[in-house]
Amino acid sequence: MNSQLQVRKLDSLSDQNQGRAVFDKTWAMELGTEITPNLLQAMVHSGSYLSGAFIGDKCVGAAFAFPATTGGLHLHSHMTAVLDEYRDKGVGHALKVDQWHWAKKNNYKEISWTFDPLVSRNAKLNLIKCGVDIASYHPNFYGDMPDALNAGDESDRLMASWKVFGDNPKPRELITSPKSDDILIAIPEDIVAIRSSDLAENLRWRHKVRDQFLKAFDQGGQVVGFSTNNEYVVRI
């Protein structure tokens, strides 16, 4: 992780606006914002989590989570974003680790969030660096999304479950040798690039991976990790 990187809470209105700016740049829309200032202020004031990752005075990433009760009280992490030029520098992982420690301090036993199963970068962050479990697969979870990153696609999501116990999160290793009867669900190296150039190809990947996940989960499969060949490893 960058030694100059600092993660801190965004409590003031001016700080919150820095976090909102990261969200709105990541999920750019012609009109509107990912979350309005008044709603964000109300949620932060009421006990939600909002943090920013800073290099010097520049906010380069942000994360937002709120209390949730589906399946028991836990923290649901709705948005985590890093500016493009600061990707792959440990910023997202630093935000997640800070969130884990905040959840532990505030007596949460679990953090959940959704992520796009086709995005390789997120799969590796969540399954390997964070060591989350996969709770379920949700086809077109958010419906049509108006932001430029997701426009035209279907919003399938995996639900991550991150247990909060011990002193620190426990990462996993990439799986180099899956078992012969493991189900391997391959995804592309860069679905975002495919989506921007060939939406039909993106949707072919979307439906293929959806069908494989739903079939594997119907058979009682569990995601046990991610392979060095860019595959989810599902074990019955």
Side-chain angles (χ1 to χ4, degrees):
M1 186 179 73
N2 191 317
S3 60
Q4 297 178 320
L5 182 66
Q6 300 292 326
V7 177
R8 62 176 174 83
K9 289 291 296 301
L10 303 179
D11 290 323
S12 70
L13 292 175
S14 60
D15 278 352
Q16 290 171 28
N17 284 335
Q18 292 188 74
R20 287 181 57 251
V22 173
F23 297 145
D24 288 345
K25 189 167 185 180
T26 301
W27 297 288
M29 294 184 284
E30 290 186 13
L31 297 172
T33 177
E34 278 296 313
I35 183 168
T36 60
N38 60 324
L39 178 58
L40 189 58
Q41 162 66 357
M43 296 191 75
V44 170
H45 181 76
S46 300
S48 294
Y49 169 93
L50 179 66
S51 67
F54 288 81
I55 295 179
D57 294 331
K58 184 178 178 64
C59 185
V60 302
F64 170 56
F66 50 80
T69 58
T70 303
L73 179 65
H74 64 283
L75 189 69
H76 184 74
S77 182
H78 182 51
M79 292 187 288
T80 301
V82 178
L83 297 178
D84 283 346
E85 60 268 36
Y86 293 94
R87 294 254 176 95
D88 301 318
K89 299 181 185 299
V91 178
H93 184 239
L95 285 164
K96 284 298 186 187
V97 169
D98 182 80
Q99 190 176 85
W100 190 94
H101 284 289
W102 185 90
K104 183 178 180 183
K105 181 180 178 181
N106 286 275
N107 298 314
Y108 290 99
K109 304 301 183 187
E110 179 187 5
I111 307 171
S112 68
W113 65 86
T114 64
F115 69 98
D116 187 337
L118 295 184
V119 179
S120 176
R121 177 191 292 114
N122 290 348
K124 291 173 183 176
L125 169 64
N126 295 331
L127 284 165
I128 304 306
K129 289 189 174 182
C130 295
V132 306
D133 295 317
I134 301 300
S136 50
Y137 189 100
H138 301 269
N140 207 24
F141 183 67
Y142 296 109
D144 294 336
M145 301 180 72
D147 62 275
L149 184 63
N150 293 288
D153 197 2
E154 296 173 10
S155 57
D156 289 31
R157 293 295 184 266
L158 287 168
M159 185 69 72
S161 171
W162 203 16
K163 303 303 182 186
V164 180
F165 60 86
D167 294 328
N168 291 289
K170 297 295 189 288
R172 286 191 182 97
E173 297 291 331
L174 281 166
I175 295 176
T176 56
S177 301
K179 295 182 178 181
S180 60
D181 56 350
D182 284 341
I183 299 169
L184 305 177
I185 302 177
I187 60 172
E189 288 287 344
D190 191 348
I191 193 62
V192 176
I194 293 173
R195 186 184 302 152
S196 64
S197 62
D198 189 343
L199 187 57
E201 177 66 11
N202 172 93
L203 289 172
R204 281 192 286 272
W205 274 106
R206 174 73 64 208
H207 297 151
K208 177 183 178 182
V209 169
R210 176 193 295 172
D211 291 346
Q212 289 177 302
F213 261 114
L214 292 178
K215 182 178 179 181
F217 284 164
D218 281 346
Q219 295 173 341
Q222 292 185 322
V223 178
V224 296
F226 201 75
S227 82
T228 51
N229 290 323
N230 220 50
E231 303 156 321
Y232 293 93
V233 180
V234 184
R235 194 159 290 164
I236 304 296

